[in-house]
């Protein structure tokens, strides 16, 4: 096939093949990622007979190479000759499915699942299913864990005798000696249940589920909680009480906090899976217990679900349940000893107001909001403030403003700059909801104070905040309230504050429009070109470049150009550079 | 056996001595950890030079019917290097403090090794094939003329001499402010704990960037510090249970199910102090130097300076068994304090069937106790005074000056020769222990 001139086209492929075993991992990785190019050059026959056997033995390599290989092989069907030959990909993937590195194994299983669909029903029984069995009865638990992920893809497509064998294998793995395998089986239980016939779900899966849910290892039991969701979805309502609920009740009261945490974390899914009746009778008390759990991690997870849980309660009894069962627990959580619990609650509690309506919110929730706004932990206060919009819709924000203001002021002056940064980000939202009057009266001075914060990130965020406020309140408001203050800082003795003036002008010119920019801002900028600090001068040049597009051409020629020319002759190299850049960008040369 | 515990005490024979046998020992060669893996097929030692040597048991040979396979070097690698903590101006020694094997998960073997600060996960694997065939090179590395390439060649794996590789898989660093004294793998096979003087952290084997603090006994004011953690271990079967021993001689059992932070112990094993025996040294000698669960998980053994205590997990008030390791040293505590020997941390281990326990002592003596009888036997790890396949002669330490052949006076003991690190084959009558720089392997005499 290769003549004398075939060398040119073969050379790059030859390099790629040689680099499959280069000492440098990067080069090997590179070659593996171009495996399809190599396979294409070799043709389907040689790919099957030479390349794949080589790759099957490559399991000694670094994880990242193996990971890339496992991924490539999932897309290799056409390169080995199409679905007819797809089974040739099984040996290398089988060996990758037994390595110790979880990510590589998982990727190999993913690719195996992918190519299983490309097997004909006959090939599936002749090639794929035996591989699953080999892995399932392998000596090492790495191969048995990999098998767990493959049952569900072949089960629907094989004969009933093979189906029975697969069920048996899965049963064995659920009671494997090593917790690793039982964990893998538990995590695939739900997925496997979905492809099983309902009669087997009831006969097989339920008993496996019950066994895994009472495993001696916490790490296995907690995975059974996840399976609970899928299994409950599959069963008819009338069977849930006898088949699933005993296990779920037991999990919600498990001795291990990690299992209870899992129940709390999956509570909304569980609630949807078991339906309204069981929710009313069983889940409500269970949820109350989780909210009162002795372990803070569990309470925090449950607190996170308060809103979702309440939202999904059946409409006819929602309000009663919340008022009589949930709200008392929530009230206690507001003064929890653990700040993560309080903060989790603060991030969802405002959402309850839409569910409970105006009167209940004012009577019952408002005191809680107010208490949280005064919490000692800034994160709690921030979470309340960041969700103000939900309350605003129901009762209007005025109800809160009395307490809101001190909370905001305190956060605005918090010693931790990250807290200050977080509250700045909520300013535009607050401004929108509180209205311009309230803002001018109470918050404007805060926004200005941030401009002279000693942390740059805060000054920068404050600048950005001004832009958003102007977008909200309009140019006229800007001219009256903030522009004078910003321009006033141009005479500040601290050069960092003078630079802030320039940064504000950069940010505001567009929002304020041509008139304000030309009349009020430009003169200040031009004046600052005489500043004694070079950093200020080159920022003048940068500002002029930035606001240039807002100005008219006459003004550019008569006022901006002379100043830039002067700066272009500055003794400082940076000033010169930025002045020249501005001249060329604004086309003033 | 001269009435020394009755017929139950088994006889032991010297099987092998590893390491150079001369008096000139370099610091780096001193063995600091000895550990069999879960099948007993491999035996790992760590030393002060940060090296780990792994020995593999040979398949039983047919010619020597009465001897089990010998251990030969399988792999040697540098686990830790000396480091310098520039922030604290502290040298970090490369000395291996502990080695723990992971349950085998595939054909390769994995172990955790730790120095004072950093834990590493090592993979020890075999390779018996290598790829051959280049397109652009000869096998000897000479480049071919690129234009001579007319067909593509895919490399082929060919058999080669067996090669054992040790490769670092994970490094768990920056989680300990104080010196790590213990590591222990959980029965869930996915987590392990590491303990330093004041804290215990829980790690997931797959994640090196986070660990969870599960015990913290650091007082806000360090001047109030009265107790440190000296050893810690997971229960062999219950994934939620672990214990830690303290410098005051107590052992706390914690249940990780109860809370995320296990500052509240669920059981406290402590023997009430005998006020009449109280002395300046009481607290020092009660410090727990090692704690080990029995294989069954029912009992727990602690080693303090003079005794081994066996506790039933269901009884906190006092140990069910107490064995005197070297009671004759009680009168010598003052001089042992002066030469710092009193701070030596002796390890202890259970026999494969939990019926016997073993620990080290001075003068290269080690003590074995059958759990049915009270008196133990004192044996010596010495290549000079024992011959292969001959049962070891028990020693007796006495106070007086008149001695029989098998007796030695307390004053004649050599305190520089001590057996701190010991390990018992998990399924068989084979024990391994480190004298200064030598590894001794003994086998139970087969009848």
């Amino acid at each position: 096939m290769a003549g004398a001139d075939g060398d040119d086209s073969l050379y790059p492929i030859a390099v790629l093949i040689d680099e499959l075993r280069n000492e440098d991992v990067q080069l090997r990785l590179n070659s593996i990622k171009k495996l399809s190019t190599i396979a294409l050059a070799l043709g389907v026959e040689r790919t099957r007979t030479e390349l794949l056997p080589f790759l099957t033995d490559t399991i000694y390599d670094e994880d990242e190479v193996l990971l890339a290989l496992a991924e490539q092989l999932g897309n290799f069907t056409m390169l080995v000759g199409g679905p007819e030959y797809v089974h040739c990909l099984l040996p290398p993937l089988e060996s990758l499915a037994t390595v110790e590195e979880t990510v590589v194994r998982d990727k190999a299983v993913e690719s195996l699942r992918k190519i299983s669909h490309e097997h004909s029903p006959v090939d599936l029984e002749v090639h794929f299913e035996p591989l699953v069995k080999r892995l399932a009865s392998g000596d090492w638990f790495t191969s048995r864990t990999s098998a767990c992920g493959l049952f569900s893809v072949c089960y629907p497509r094989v004969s009933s005798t093979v189906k029975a064998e697969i069920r048996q294998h899965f049963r064995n793995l659920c009671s494997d000696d090593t917790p690793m395998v039982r964990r893998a089986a538990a995590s695939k239980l739900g997925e496997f249940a979905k492809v099983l016939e309902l009669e087997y779900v009831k006969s097989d899966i339920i008993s496996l589920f019950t066994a895994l849910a009472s495993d001696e290892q916490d790490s296995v039991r907690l995975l059974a909680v996840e399976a609970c969701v899928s299994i409950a979805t599959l069963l008819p309502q009338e069977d849930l009480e006898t088949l699933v609920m005993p296990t779920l009740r037991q999990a919600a009261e498990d001795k291990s906090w990690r299992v209870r945490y899992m129940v709390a974390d999956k509570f909304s899914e569980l609630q949807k899976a078991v339906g309204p009746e069981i929710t009313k009778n069983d889940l409500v008390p269970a949820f109350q217990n989780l909210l009162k759990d002795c372990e803070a991690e569990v309470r925090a997870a449950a607190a996170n679900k308060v809103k979702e849980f309440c939202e999904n309660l059946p409409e006819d009894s929602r309000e009663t349940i919340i008022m009589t069962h949930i709200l008392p627990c929530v009230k206690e959580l507001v003064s929890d000893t653990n700040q993560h619990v309080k903060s989790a609650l603060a991030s969802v509690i405002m959402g309850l107001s839409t569910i409970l309506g105006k009167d209940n919110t004012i009577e019952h929730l408002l005191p809680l909001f107010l208490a949280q706004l005064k919490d000692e932990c800034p994160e709690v206060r921030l979470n309340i403030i960041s969700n103000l919009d939900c309350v605003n819709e129901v009762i209007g924000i005025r109800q809160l403003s009395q307490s809101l203001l001190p909370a905001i002021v305190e956060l605005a002056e918090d010693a931790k700059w990250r807290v200050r940064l977080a509250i700045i980000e909520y300013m535009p939202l607050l401004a929108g909801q509180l209205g311009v009057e309230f803002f001018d009266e109470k918050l404007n001075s805060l926004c200005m104070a941030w401009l002279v914060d000693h942390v740059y990130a805060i000054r920068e965020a404050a600048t950005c905040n001004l832009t958003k406020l102007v977008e909200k309140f309009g140019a006229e408001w800007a001219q009256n309230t903030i522009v004078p203050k910003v321009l006033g800082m141009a005479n500040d003795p601290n050069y960092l504050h003078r630079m802030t003036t320039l940064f504000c002008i950069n940010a505001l010119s567009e929002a304020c429009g041509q008139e304000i920019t030309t009349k009020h801002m430009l003169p200040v900028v031009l004046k600052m070109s005489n500043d004694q600090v070079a950093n200020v001068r080159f920022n003048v040049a940068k500002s002029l470049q930035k606001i240039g597009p807002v100005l008219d051409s006459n003004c550019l020629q008569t006022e901006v150009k002379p100043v830039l020319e002067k700066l272009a002759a500055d003794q400082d190299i940076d000033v010169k550079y930025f002045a020249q850049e501005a001249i060329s960008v604004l086309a003033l040369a | 056996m001269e009435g020394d515990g009755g017929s139950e005490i088994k006889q032991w024979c010297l099987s092998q001595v590893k390491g150079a046998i001369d008096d000139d020992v370099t610091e780096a060669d001193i063995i600091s950890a000895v550990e069999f893996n879960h099948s007993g097929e491999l035996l790992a030692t760590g030393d002060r030079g940060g090296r780990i040597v792994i020995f593999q048991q040979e398949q039983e040979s047919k010619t020597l019917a009465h001897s089990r396979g010998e251990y030969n070097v399988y792999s040697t690698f540098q686990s830790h290097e000396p480091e310098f903590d520039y922030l604290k101006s502290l040298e970090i020694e490369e000395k291996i403090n502990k080695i723990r094997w992971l349950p085998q998960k595939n054909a390769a073997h994995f172990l955790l090794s730790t120095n004072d600060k950093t834990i590493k996960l090592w993979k020890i694997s075999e390779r018996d094939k290598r790829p051959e065939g280049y397109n652009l090179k000869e096998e000897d590395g000479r480049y071919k003329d690129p234009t001579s390439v007319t067909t593509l060649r895919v490399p082929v794996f060919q058999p080669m001499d067996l090669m054992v590789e040790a490769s670092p898989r994970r490094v768990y660093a920056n989680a300990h402010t104080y010196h790590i004294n213990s590591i222990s793998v959980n029965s869930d096979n996915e987590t392990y704990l590491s303990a330093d003087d004041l804290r215990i952290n829980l790690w997931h084997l797959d994640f090196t960037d986070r660990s969870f603090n599960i015990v913290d006994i650091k007082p806000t004011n360090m001047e109030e510090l009265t107790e440190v953690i000296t050893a810690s271990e997971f229960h062999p079967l219950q994934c939620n249970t672990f214990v830690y021993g303290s410098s005051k001689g107590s052992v706390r059992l914690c249940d990780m199910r109860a809370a995320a932070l296990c500052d509240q112990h669920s059981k406290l094993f402590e023997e009430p102090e005998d006020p009449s025996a109280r002395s300046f040294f009481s607290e020092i000698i009660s410090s727990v130097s090692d704690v080990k669960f029995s294989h069954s998980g029912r009992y727990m053994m602690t080693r303090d300076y003079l005794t081994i205590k066996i506790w039933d997990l269901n009884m906190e008030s006092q140990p069910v068994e107490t064995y005197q390791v070297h009671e004759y040293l009680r009168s010598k505590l003052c001089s042992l304090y002066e030469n710092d020997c009193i701070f030596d941390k002796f390890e202890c281990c259970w026999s494969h069937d939990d019926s016997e326990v073993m620990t080290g002592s001075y003068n290269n003596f080690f003590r074995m106790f059958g759990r049915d009888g009270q008196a133990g036997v004192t044996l010596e790890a010495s290549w000079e005074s024992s011959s292969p396949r001959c049962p070891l002669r028990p020693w007796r330490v006495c106070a007086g000056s008149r001695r029989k052949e098998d007796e030695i006076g307390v004053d004649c003991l050599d305190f520089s020769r001590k057996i701190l690190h010991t390990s018992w084959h998990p399924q068989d009558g084979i024990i391994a222990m480190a004298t200064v720089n030598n590894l001794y392997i003994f086998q139970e005499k087969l009848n």
Side-chain angles (χ1 to χ4, degrees), chain B residues 189-432:
Chain B
N189 289 3
E190 66 174 358
T191 55
Y192 74 90
L193 66 75
S194 59
D196 67 23
D197 297 342
L198 296 177
R199 300 194 179 98
I200 301 178
N201 292 332
L202 182 69
W203 301 82
H204 190 290
L205 283 162
D206 284 346
F207 299 99
T208 57
D209 58 349
R210 67 186 104 117
S211 68
F212 298 94
N213 181 241
I214 48 175
V215 174
D216 187 349
I217 62 163
K218 185 173 184 284
T220 337
N221 178 3
M222 280 296 266
E223 281 167 17
E224 290 161 16
L225 183 70
T226 56
E227 191 173 16
V228 296
I229 299 167
T230 52
S232 183
E233 193 180 51
F234 266 122
H235 190 278
L237 308 169
Q238 294 164 11
C239 60
N240 49 276
T241 309
F242 69 95
V243 292
Y244 65 93
S246 84
S247 56
K248 280 188 165 170
S250 56
V251 175
R252 290 174 176 81
L253 182 139
C254 302
D255 184 349
M256 296 199 297
R257 291 176 300 185
L261 192 64
C262 299
D263 281 350
Q264 303 289 326
H265 55 261
S266 49
K267 287 186 180 182
L268 174 63
F269 298 87
E270 201 171 32
E271 192 168 33
E273 197 184 20
D274 175 8
S276 64
R278 167 130 202 106
S279 77
F280 172 75
F281 303 109
S282 300
E283 193 174 311
I284 303 176
I285 61 169
S286 66
S287 175
V288 174
S289 60
D290 197 12
V291 53
K292 290 271 169 63
F293 281 104
S294 64
H295 295 89
S296 67
R298 166 84 189 266
Y299 300 99
M300 161 176 90
M301 160 165 61
T302 58
R303 172 76 155 94
D304 56 36
Y305 193 60
L306 295 178
T307 69
I308 277 183
K309 295 191 174 85
I310 300 204
W311 306 79
D312 186 325
L313 289 192
N314 302 317
M315 184 162 84
E316 297 162 63
S317 56
Q318 62 180 69
V320 286
E321 293 155 37
T322 301
Y323 301 104
Q324 303 300 337
V325 177
H326 35 216
E327 181 63 17
Y328 44 79
L329 295 181
R330 197 176 280 281
S331 58
K332 304 234 125 208
L333 292 177
C334 207
S335 54
L336 290 165
Y337 180 75
E338 273 158 19
N339 64 13
D340 275 352
C341 280
I342 202 167
F343 301 107
D344 282 334
K345 293 187 78 177
F346 290 97
E347 292 175 0
C348 52
C349 51
W350 294 87
S351 68
H352 54 95
D353 56 0
D354 293 340
S355 67
E356 287 172 85
V357 294
M358 170 182 64
T359 190
S361 174
Y362 293 102
N363 204 47
N364 279 0
F365 284 164
F366 60 97
R367 298 272 288 155
M368 315 270 293
F369 301 95
R371 291 190 50 212
D372 37 7
Q374 283 291 310
V377 54
T378 304
L379 302 172
E380 184 187 10
S382 157
W383 57 273
E384 291 149 310
S385 59
S386 36
S387 49
R389 272 168 276 130
C390 259
L392 294 182
R393 193 163 60 103
W395 282 93
R396 211 185 281 263
V397 183
C398 59
S401 52
R402 279 187 50 197
R403 280 169 218 135
K404 298 187 208 140
E405 197 195 350
D406 59 350
E407 290 181 345
I408 181 168
V410 180
D411 298 324
C412 303
L413 295 175
D414 181 349
F415 289 101
S416 69
R417 296 163 63 213
K418 47 195 154 197
I419 295 177
L420 300 176
H421 312 288
T422 51
S423 184
W424 201 307
H425 191 293
Q427 283 149 24
D428 212 347
I430 299 176
I431 52 176

Side-chain angles (χ1 to χ4, degrees), chain A residues 254 369 411 458:
Chain A
D254 198 283
F369 300 158
L411 287 169
I458 299 298

Side-chain angles (χ1 to χ4, degrees), chain A residues 2-19:
Chain A
D5 59 353
D7 303 347
D8 287 352
S9 62
L10 283 184
Y11 182 73
I13 308 289
V15 172
L16 276 182
I17 294 178
D18 284 1
E19 284 181 350

Side-chain angles (χ1 to χ4, degrees), chain A residues 522-530 537 540-541 544 555-570 575 579-580 582-583 588:
Chain A
L522 184 63
V524 175
V525 178
L526 295 176
K527 198 173 143 224
M528 288 171 85
S529 66
N530 297 319
R537 293 200 302 278
V540 166
L544 288 174
C555 168
L556 277 174
Q557 287 297 333
T558 56
E559 298 188 52
V560 175
K561 192 176 169 185
V563 170
L564 282 177
E565 277 168 353
K566 184 186 74 186
L567 290 174
D570 199 283
V575 178
Q580 274 155 5
I583 290 172
L588 294 174

Side-chain angles (χ1 to χ4, degrees), chain A residues 2 7 10 17-18 21 46 54 57 60 63 98 100-102 140-142 179-180 183 217 255 257 295, chain B residues 105-106 110 123 127 129 131 133 135-136 147 149-150 152 169-170 188-189 206 239 256-257 259-260:
Chain A
D7 303 347
L10 283 184
I17 294 178
D18 284 1
R21 38 182 297 214
R46 292 191 68 194
F54 170 74
D57 281 335
Y60 300 108
D63 304 334
T98 63
E100 68 278 358
E101 197 56 51
T102 319
W140 307 117
F141 70 71
T142 47
M180 287 293 195
R183 273 200 293 279
Q217 293 274 343
K255 267 191 99 170
W257 69 269
E295 173 58 44
Chain B
K105 54 176 112 179
N106 61 10
F110 291 82
K123 173 185 178 181
R127 178 185 287 207
K129 287 186 231 183
N135 284 296
L136 301 168
T147 55
V149 177
T150 53
L152 291 172
R169 303 294 295 182
R170 303 260 195 279
D188 68 9
N189 289 3
D206 284 346
C239 60
M256 296 199 297
R257 291 176 300 185

Side-chain angles (χ1 to χ4, degrees), chain A residues 267-286:
Chain A
F267 217 82
S268 306
E269 287 94 326
L270 287 167
Q271 184 186 6
K272 282 179 201 152
V274 299
E277 274 313 302
I278 294 182
T279 297
K280 268 194 264 180
N281 301 332
D282 275 284
L283 293 195
V284 171

